Amino acid sequence: MDGMQDSEAAQRGSRELIYVTRGGAGRVLALGGLQQLGWNLRRAPDARSVLRILNGDSRKPHAALLDLREGFSQQDLAEFGAALSAGNVGWVAGIDARQLDESPVRDLIRDYCYDYLTLPCPESVLNTVIGHAHGMASLACERGDATSEAGFDGMIGESPAMRTLCRTLRKAALTEAPVFIAGETGTGKELAAMAVHRHSRRHAHPFVAINCGAIPHSLIQSELFGYERGAFTGAQQRKLGRIEMANSGTLFLDEIGDLPLESQASLLRFLQQGSIERLGGHEQIAVDVRIISATHHDLDRAVAEGRFRADLYHRLCVLRLQQPPLRERGSDIDKLADYALQRYSQEGHRTLKGFAPCARQALHSHAWPGNVRELINRVRQAVVMAEGRLITAADLHIESSLTTPPPTLDEVRDAATRAAIERSLHRNRGRLVDVARELGVSRVTLYRLMQRHGLRAHEPETPNTLHIA
Ligand SMILES: Nc1ncnc2c1ncn2[C@@H]1O[C@H](COP(=O)(O)OP(=O)(O)OP(=O)(O)O)[C@@H](O)[C@H]1O
């Protein structure tokens, strides 16, 4: 541990305070009074030291004071992201007033901090503000413990993948950083976004969702930014856009990958300026929203292919979460099925007792391309259609998957080998020497494998020949 620690206070179960500073010993001494107030003070000069402290005790709530008055370059600030979103920490930035004009400092405060203070300030003020930050971090921990059985904020699931996700969601709720949720359709991205909002300090303000993929391109600008009366034919009165409706709260941009390039530029401008202009309006309107975005498309690929702006991508993907597909969530499938049965049981005409063994087996052999949404819909339909006391695989309409047995390990290995050789042949334009080298096998082995998998070596490509007429 760097710096000081009041062991007496620690024994009393004092509150943890991380003090991040590049200032001299005097800075730390100036906070000495806080130890008497029950703070266990630990000094960290950089992001790595913060992570080291949190790794030791990641579940415990901490307050942290990030004293930005001296010694931090822009690069240092950029590197703080991971540390500022780790653990259960309520961050408070300490700055001198002029620093509020510096956009890296403003961004850091807005995205990650519970509050900020201009330093120096009276000890009582400091104690109150970091006390509140610590209180918020403690609340997040309590929620975590209380909901570990039933999932996070209504999200059913206790699989390792869901536990990891819920831990990350709780941390995300403690910050203001833009969150990007990736995941297949129906995995619960919107539910996760609502959970972050409800557990954030914006919870008393609106949560506004917009599905960028479901709105015609010609209407998306007016949906997002609103319009003034007379802005276009048919605009008979002023209409607020979704961004403005979400003021002080959270805006959930679903299927962000479908946002047309024109709207991407306008959204980026809004994120940079913190203000919007309604269509047909001339006034800049300041709007304060936290952005959570999601998509089931591969956004990295969309950036690489020029369909999504890289600068907007970096603005949106500060905290990146991955929503696991249902097929990777093991016993969560049973829990979700039981939950859906309980929820919709009154819709059926007879009292159902649960799932027959064949239904349980079917639930686990199905690939769930539509994930949780598909599972809920199938159970709901089965509740209505079931004729016995137990829901069967046939009631769920997934019996066909039972007739296809899952692949054996040998089959999986064979398929992977064949695919790897095919890809390498393609990459190396059929040159077997290079394919063998790339795959780490001898040429003889490669021939043998190709024969076994029915692969033919096509003619290696020769350089283009120039024909002169
Ligand atoms: N863990 C969960 N516990 C309970 N219900 C869930 C869970 N995950 C998803 N659901 C339910 O599944 C349905 C689909 O969830 P949601 O709309 O959040 O998915 P999505 O990933 O945003 O889908 P899409 O990509 O199609 O927009 C909703 O009815 C939601 O309530």
Side-chain angles (χ1 to χ4, degrees):
M1 184 183 85
D2 197 350
M4 52 184 157
Q5 180 180 25
D6 181 341
S7 56
E8 229 182 277
Q11 277 162 17
R12 291 200 306 265
S14 65
R15 293 174 296 175
E16 301 291 325
L17 172 63
I18 302 172
Y19 181 38
V20 183
T21 178
R22 292 262 169 95
R27 288 273 189 243
V28 183
L29 282 175
L31 296 188
L34 289 175
Q35 290 180 292
Q36 264 79 56
L37 295 170
W39 289 101
N40 180 32
L41 189 62
R42 304 170 83 176
R43 180 172 176 258
D46 50 31
R48 207 180 302 166
S49 319
V50 172
L51 288 172
R52 216 175 298 130
I53 292 173
L54 295 176
N55 277 344
D57 206 349
S58 62
R59 290 186 62 87
K60 199 166 183 182
H62 287 76
L65 178 62
L66 177 57
D67 189 340
L68 294 172
R69 282 176 293 174
E70 70 242 305
F72 291 104
S73 65
Q74 282 202 14
Q75 175 68 23
D76 292 330
L77 296 187
E79 281 169 9
F80 256 104
L84 290 168
S85 48
N88 279 314
V89 186
W91 282 92
V92 174
I95 53 169
D96 70 42
R98 284 164 304 149
Q99 286 180 290
L100 271 186
D101 296 333
E102 299 168 17
S103 67
V105 171
R106 275 207 318 268
D107 288 350
L108 195 114
I109 294 174
R110 193 195 55 223
D111 288 346
Y112 297 105
C113 294
Y114 166 77
D115 209 342
Y116 71 92
L117 287 164
T118 25
L119 295 177
C121 72
E123 192 173 84
S124 58
V125 175
L126 189 55
N127 185 43
T128 305
V129 174
I130 58 173
H132 286 169
H134 188 277
M136 288 301 283
S138 308
L139 280 182
C141 290
E142 278 169 25
R143 280 196 198 108
D145 292 342
T147 55
S148 59
E149 274 299 301
F152 178 56
D153 200 42
M155 295 175 66
I156 315 269
E158 289 170 40
S159 57
M162 277 306 279
R163 280 178 190 271
T164 306
L165 177 75
C166 291
R167 260 202 311 279
T168 319
L169 290 175
R170 276 185 211 111
K171 285 182 209 160
L174 273 180
T175 75
E176 286 279 285
V179 174
F180 171 71
I181 308 174
E184 293 176 16
T185 183
T187 44
K189 297 186 290 296
E190 180 156 0
L191 210 57
M194 284 188 329
V196 170
H197 170 73
R198 278 204 291 261
H199 288 247
S200 77
R201 63 180 176 142
R202 293 176 177 264
H203 61 91
H205 299 283
F207 173 87
V208 176
I210 176 166
N211 185 334
C212 306
I215 296 174
H217 285 195
S218 56
L219 296 183
I220 195 123
Q221 287 285 102
S222 60
E223 272 302 318
L224 281 173
F225 298 96
Y227 52 80
E228 293 291 350
R229 184 173 172 198
F232 46 82
T233 324
Q236 279 160 357
Q237 56 193 25
R238 168 188 288 173
K239 180 178 181 288
L240 295 191
R242 307 279 177 109
I243 297 179
E244 219 176 326
M245 285 181 202
N247 196 14
S248 303
T250 304
L251 178 68
F252 177 53
L253 296 166
D254 202 0
E255 295 314 338
I256 186 78
D258 293 335
L259 198 64
L261 280 164
E262 181 203 359
S263 303
Q264 289 178 31
S266 315
L267 182 63
L268 180 67
R269 210 168 316 120
F270 159 61
L271 294 177
Q272 286 164 339
Q273 297 174 353
S275 61
I276 57 151
E277 203 173 289
R278 297 184 196 124
L279 303 191
H282 302 289
E283 182 196 359
Q284 285 291 325
I285 302 158
V287 185
D288 163 36
V289 295
R290 184 203 196 160
I291 305 280
I292 303 184
S293 54
T295 184
H296 70 273
H297 294 303
D298 183 345
L299 207 54
D300 294 280
R301 192 152 140 211
V303 171
E305 290 174 359
R307 286 179 286 114
F308 201 85
R309 294 180 64 124
D311 41 11
L312 179 60
Y313 172 89
H314 292 300
R315 278 261 165 183
L316 295 173
C317 300
V318 177
L319 297 179
R320 194 187 164 107
L321 309 184
Q322 184 71 40
Q323 198 85 28
L326 185 58
R327 63 185 166 280
E328 290 174 11
R329 290 173 50 185
S331 62
D332 283 356
I333 295 177
D334 294 303
K335 290 200 176 65
L336 282 158
D338 292 338
Y339 153 80
L341 173 57
Q342 196 188 3
R343 180 164 166 200
Y344 295 109
S345 56
Q346 73 282 6
E347 290 185 6
H349 50 91
R350 62 180 73 229
T351 314
L352 288 164
K353 289 198 153 175
F355 294 91
C358 65
R360 292 274 178 207
Q361 207 184 337
L363 287 172
H364 284 275
S365 63
H366 188 60
W368 299 114
N371 291 290
V372 184
R373 182 182 291 116
E374 180 188 348
L375 172 62
I376 292 176
N377 289 346
R378 281 185 187 272
V379 173
R380 189 172 183 183
Q381 177 181 306
V383 165
V384 177
M385 303 308 287
E387 300 199 334
R389 284 299 185 92
L390 292 173
I391 292 178
T392 63
D395 296 329
L396 291 165
H397 291 280
I398 43 180
E399 73 271 48
S400 58
S401 57
L402 286 176
T403 56
T404 319
T408 63
L409 211 52
D410 274 343
E411 285 166 345
V412 172
R413 209 177 290 131
D414 277 354
T417 306
R418 186 192 159 101
I421 297 175
E422 273 178 334
R423 274 198 304 271
S424 184
L425 279 168
H426 185 68
R427 250 194 318 272
N428 293 292
R429 299 172 180 190
R431 288 186 301 268
L432 298 185
V433 186
D434 295 336
V435 174
R437 188 182 312 124
E438 186 176 273
L439 296 176
V441 293
S442 68
R443 258 198 289 170
V444 178
T445 308
L446 179 62
Y447 284 132
R448 191 173 45 74
L449 287 170
M450 285 175 64
Q451 250 179 354
R452 178 162 155 210
H453 292 288
L455 293 169
R456 278 157 46 99
H458 29 259
E459 284 297 304
E461 280 179 20
T462 49
N464 286 343
T465 319
L466 193 61
H467 294 282
I468 301 173

